[in-house]
Amino acid sequence: MSPARAHRQRMLAAKAAGTALTSAPAQHAGGAASEYEIMLAKLGLDLRELHDIQSLERKIDRKRDMLPEYEAWVEGVLKGMLDSGHGVADEIFPTIMIWRIDVGDYVGALPLAAAVLRFKLALPERYKRTPATLICEEYADAALKAIGQGGDFDLRVLQAVEHMVADEDIFNIVQAKLHAAIGRLLAMQVKALEDSADGPAGNKRSLLAAAIERMKRARALDAKIGVKKELDGLERLAAKLAEAATANAGD
C-alpha cells in the first residue's frame, strides 16, 4: 500500500469511527463507507484463504503477511474512537486485534484490546468467547506455552492484560491461567537472582512471596491448574530464606 493511500485510509477510518455511535462505517455516507466496504471485502477473501490452510504455522505466517494491509485502517479507527470517546461497530478492528495476538505481536495488540474492552466492542460471530475471556485466555496461553518451552514472556504485558480485565466477568479457569502464568514469571525472576544473597533490597523474598500468592490464587480458582509442585518448591524456598534471615538477625 502506498503512503498516500495509507494516509487516506487512516483519515477515512478515523472519520467513520468519530461519527458512528453503534453502526458500522459502511452504513454511513461518503468515502468512509466505501473504504470500509472495500476493507471488509478484503477481509472476507483473506478469511476464506486462511480457512483453506490446514497448517497452523502457515496460517500464522499468512496472517503476518496480511496484517500490514490493515494497519492504516485500524490506526484510524482507534484514533477516531479515542478522540470521540465512543466505539464503532467494525468487524475489522477486533479481528486484527486477534491476529496480532496470533502472530505474537503481544505489545501491538494491547491498545486494540484496551479499546475493545473500553468501548465494549463485539467480536465477530465466528469467535465464541466474550472479548474479555478471549483476550485474557489468549495472552495467558501464549505465556504458559512460552514458559513451558523454556522461553520467557513479558511480565508487564500480562500485568497490563490483568489490569484491563480486572472488572470483567471471566471463567475461573481462564483467570487461573493468567495467575499461573504471572506466578511462573515471578518465580523465574526469583531464580535469576543470586542464590547466595537475599537479592537487591530484599527483592528475592518479595518476588518469592508474590509468586507464591499467584500460585495459590491460581489453585483456588482451578485446582487442576497444575502448579502444586511449583508452589511446594516455592514455599520450601521461602521457609529456607526465612530461617536464614532469622539466623542472620541473631548473629
Side-chain angles (χ1 to χ4, degrees):
M1 183 184 297
S2 69
R5 174 165 169 70
H7 175 74
R8 178 178 182 275
Q9 192 176 92
R10 195 176 292 110
M11 295 302 101
L12 288 173
K15 179 181 178 182
T19 57
L21 288 174
T22 57
S23 57
Q27 296 172 336
H28 293 262
S34 298
E35 191 67 25
Y36 180 74
E37 290 170 347
I38 292 170
M39 295 301 296
L40 196 59
K42 172 177 171 48
L43 179 62
L45 291 173
D46 287 344
L47 287 171
R48 281 194 287 274
E49 179 185 343
L50 291 169
H51 182 268
D52 291 337
I53 299 173
Q54 298 185 46
S55 166
L56 180 58
E57 289 184 346
R58 288 188 61 197
K59 281 182 188 287
I60 292 173
D61 287 341
R62 284 300 293 134
K63 287 179 181 179
R64 190 175 288 109
D65 293 338
M66 294 170 176
L67 277 171
E69 295 298 317
Y70 296 93
E71 184 174 347
W73 179 265
V74 167
E75 286 179 356
V77 171
L78 180 60
K79 184 179 187 304
M81 289 192 295
L82 294 178
D83 288 349
S84 66
H86 59 66
V88 58
D90 182 329
E91 184 173 344
I92 299 166
F93 190 89
T95 298
I96 299 309
M97 173 200 75
I98 296 168
W99 284 12
R100 286 188 178 182
I101 297 173
D102 289 342
V103 304
D105 183 12
Y106 304 116
V107 173
L110 281 178
L112 277 62
V116 166
L117 295 177
R118 174 184 171 184
F119 297 113
K120 302 186 184 304
L121 305 186
L123 299 183
E125 291 183 2
R126 61 185 174 275
Y127 299 107
K128 303 304 181 183
R129 291 170 288 178
T130 65
T133 297
L134 182 145
I135 290 166
C136 184
E137 189 163 28
E138 290 297 318
Y139 273 95
D141 281 346
L144 290 171
K145 181 179 178 181
I147 296 166
Q149 293 176 343
D152 199 358
F153 199 88
D154 192 335
L155 176 60
R156 295 168 298 181
V157 169
L158 288 190
Q159 290 171 330
V161 170
E162 181 179 40
H163 177 73
M164 282 192 287
V165 303
D167 297 324
E168 302 286 343
D169 182 22
I170 300 173
F171 291 114
N172 283 7
I173 189 171
V174 176
Q175 295 182 60
K177 288 181 180 182
L178 185 62
H179 283 289
I182 292 175
R184 283 173 175 162
L185 289 173
L186 290 170
M188 288 170 63
Q189 291 186 12
V190 172
K191 187 176 181 180
L193 294 175
E194 295 180 8
D195 293 336
S196 60
D198 191 17
N203 279 355
K204 188 170 186 176
R205 292 175 68 183
S206 62
L207 284 171
L208 183 56
I212 290 172
E213 181 181 357
R214 291 290 185 166
M215 297 289 189
K216 286 183 175 179
R217 181 59 179 152
R219 290 205 74 212
L221 289 165
D222 179 15
K224 298 180 180 179
I225 191 63
V227 298
K228 186 178 186 305
K229 184 177 179 180
E230 296 162 273
L231 176 58
D232 289 345
L234 292 174
E235 289 181 327
R236 286 194 298 271
L237 178 58
K240 180 180 177 180
L241 291 177
E243 292 176 3
T246 301
N248 290 335
D251 290 345

